[in-house]
Amino acid sequence: MTARKIIIDTDPGQDDAVAILLALASPEELEVLGLTIVAGNVPLDLTQKNARMVCELAGKPETKVFAGCDHPMVHRLVTAEHVHGASGLNGPVLPEPVMPLQDEHAVDFIIDTLRAEAPKSVTLCPLGPLTNIALAMRKAPDIVDRIQEIVLMGGAYFEVGNITPSAEFNIYVDPEAAAVVFSSKVPIVVMPLDVTHKALVTKPRNDAFRNLGTQVGTAVAQMTDFFERFDKEKYGSEGAPLHDPCVTAYLIKPELFSGRHINVEIETKSDLTRGMTVADWWRVSGREANALFIGDVDADGFFDLLTERLARL
Ligand code: BDR
Ligand code: CA
């Protein structure tokens, strides 16, 4: 089996960090061409630094990290320090990164890579607001047909919103960018809150990370120790939801997930519901399906995969 070529577009974030670690631990299945960084959970100067810290934690300082957009396409940046802490990666104490940030802008790296690689051989994996991806599509429309698939974390239907009553954070931060992506006709797989809220780090699952006895296992346990307080207080849930690792786990073991091919549109106009993913789960609109919207996960299988792969780092 040849590894699938991916670009991870991300705003780390503890759950982004775990998604990146899972990908870097899985070279048989995934070839990480680069990490493209966006402002989201915290501003860009922190997300790009956090991404490099995570690569160094993984023992992969050769990973290419590119800084991208520092604000959304139209609206001002909304951040989530109330969830992720002031640094975006609160929990473990990690050393300042020494690996370099690449000179090229993330948007240009996405464009150049899609033009250089064979058509439909590169998958984009957005784990944050969709600004970099949408701007790449706008700047170089020829790349759109060259994308193999977009597998992203964002949106919600049954779980509705986490940053407003109707919107999930990644889509809310840049709904105009999300609208570009969802209307692109590229095959899209969506990991909404409906599924990520089933991927909860319970105490035994976090103990399994900690008991790996490695730097990575300890750091991941400390990340989720920090990250879980928000969801425990808000939803009364058992632990931290690992939103973004659902994306990289899907690319490694898609059989862990199930969903429906449906139409998903993005609300950009309404003040009340801006950033809502209007997901036609019940197929009542007659609008053409544009996404595989995931609804369920084999959570035990997901955590077994995660623990087994993190043990490799
Ligand atoms: C998403 O928003 C961020 O806080 C997380 O990293 C995840 O990508 C969940 O709504
Ligand atoms: Ca994220």
Side-chain angles (χ1 to χ4, degrees):
M1 186 172 114
T2 50
R4 187 164 171 173
K5 294 180 180 189
I6 65 168
I7 295 174
I8 302 179
D9 190 78
T10 175
D11 63 336
Q14 293 89 349
D15 61 321
D16 301 72
V18 180
I20 295 165
L21 292 170
L22 175 59
L24 294 177
S26 306
E28 294 87 357
E29 293 94 353
L30 300 177
E31 180 184 349
V32 181
L33 300 178
L35 303 186
T36 53
I37 312 303
V38 69
N41 286 322
V42 286
L44 185 69
D45 56 337
L46 291 173
T47 53
Q48 60 86 358
K49 188 171 98 169
N50 292 346
R52 289 182 293 131
M53 282 162 129
V54 172
C55 294
E56 290 188 358
L57 173 67
K60 311 268 182 192
E62 67 282 9
T63 309
K64 291 189 172 142
V65 177
F66 301 83
C69 298
D70 64 0
H71 60 84
M73 286 173 73
V74 176
H75 298 279
R76 68 172 183 84
L77 178 65
V78 175
T79 52
E81 286 86 356
H82 60 294
V83 183
H84 300 276
S87 78
L89 209 53
N90 282 38
V93 179
L94 298 172
E96 287 290 299
V98 294
M99 65 180 276
L101 186 62
Q102 301 295 309
D103 290 335
E104 195 177 12
H105 192 281
V107 169
D108 294 321
F109 172 73
I110 293 169
I111 294 169
D112 291 348
T113 305
L114 284 162
R115 285 178 176 164
E117 297 286 343
K120 303 207 188 292
S121 68
V122 177
T123 294
L124 303 181
C125 306
L127 310 178
L130 289 157
T131 320
N132 287 339
I133 310 295
L135 283 185
M137 289 178 167
R138 280 276 173 87
K139 189 171 175 189
D142 59 289
I143 64 165
V144 174
D145 283 346
R146 302 180 72 87
I147 301 168
Q148 180 178 3
E149 197 173 27
I150 296 176
V151 183
L152 66 89
M153 191 281 138
Y157 178 62
F158 294 99
E159 290 283 291
V160 206
N162 61 356
I163 185 78
T164 72
S166 46
E168 179 279 329
F169 179 78
N170 288 342
I171 307 294
Y172 178 76
V173 172
D174 201 340
E176 284 75 15
V180 170
V181 171
F182 277 83
S183 61
S184 68
K185 300 213 179 324
V186 174
I188 299 177
V189 179
V190 183
M191 294 291 164
L193 297 179
D194 307 330
V195 64
T196 67
H197 281 175
K198 293 174 182 166
L200 294 178
V201 187
T202 58
K203 186 167 182 316
R205 289 170 179 162
N206 215 26
D207 287 344
F209 295 148
R210 194 174 274 109
N211 291 340
L212 291 174
T214 60
Q215 238 190 322
V216 168
T218 306
V220 167
Q222 290 170 336
M223 285 181 205
T224 59
D225 276 343
F226 179 85
F227 184 45
E228 70 174 11
R229 88 211 176 288
F230 175 78
D231 288 82
K232 276 185 160 171
E233 274 169 31
K234 180 170 171 186
Y235 296 103
S237 53
E238 268 186 279
L242 286 187
H243 306 286
D244 295 338
C246 287
V247 167
T248 40
Y250 174 85
L251 291 167
I252 298 166
K253 266 196 161 186
E255 63 274 19
L256 293 174
F257 297 86
S258 59
R260 285 163 76 97
H261 287 278
I262 60 166
N263 177 268
V264 181
E265 302 290 332
I266 311 297
E267 176 58 60
T268 56
K269 300 279 182 289
S270 156
D271 283 342
L272 210 52
T273 58
R274 185 156 66 85
M276 183 173 189
T277 41
V278 181
D280 187 7
W281 183 261
W282 301 114
R283 300 190 178 116
V284 293
S285 70
R287 292 190 287 261
E288 204 184 325
N290 59 352
L292 173 60
F293 203 77
I294 302 297
D296 215 347
V297 58
D298 167 0
D300 286 333
F302 170 80
F303 280 95
D304 287 349
L305 173 72
L306 209 45
T307 312
E308 179 239 313
R309 295 303 165 101
L310 294 181
R312 298 176 176 185
L313 294 174

